[in-house]
Amino acid sequence: MPRGDEQHRNPKSDIEIAQAAEMRPIGEVAKKLGVPDDALSPYGRYKAKVSLDYVRTLADRPTG
């Protein structure tokens, strides 16, 4: 049976999905997205604030 069929018959809750996720360090995630280190203010290992000055530099890019 395809995995997607089971998910439709017995869907996981949001919390089950979140708890099953493998967290990665925020610096690693930011690097993959092209966010420079100096645009981040880390809050622990897995989250950070992104500077508004950096966000404003993205205004001319398409959303997505």
Side-chain angles (χ1 to χ4, degrees):
M1 165 182 345
R3 188 171 161 229
D5 290 344
E6 175 62 25
Q7 175 63 17
H8 287 289
R9 277 183 247 176
N10 187 16
K12 291 182 181 180
S13 68
D14 290 347
I15 191 70
E16 289 173 314
I17 294 168
Q19 289 172 337
E22 178 185 334
M23 294 180 65
R24 295 192 174 141
I26 191 63
E28 179 184 317
V29 175
K31 187 175 185 177
K32 278 189 171 187
L33 296 173
V35 178
D37 287 337
D38 62 347
L40 295 177
S41 295
Y43 285 82
R45 184 175 168 97
Y46 302 109
K47 60 184 176 178
K49 288 185 178 181
V50 179
S51 79
L52 287 176
D53 290 336
Y54 175 73
V55 172
R56 288 183 186 113
T57 68
L58 305 174
D60 61 340
R61 294 186 184 185
T63 58

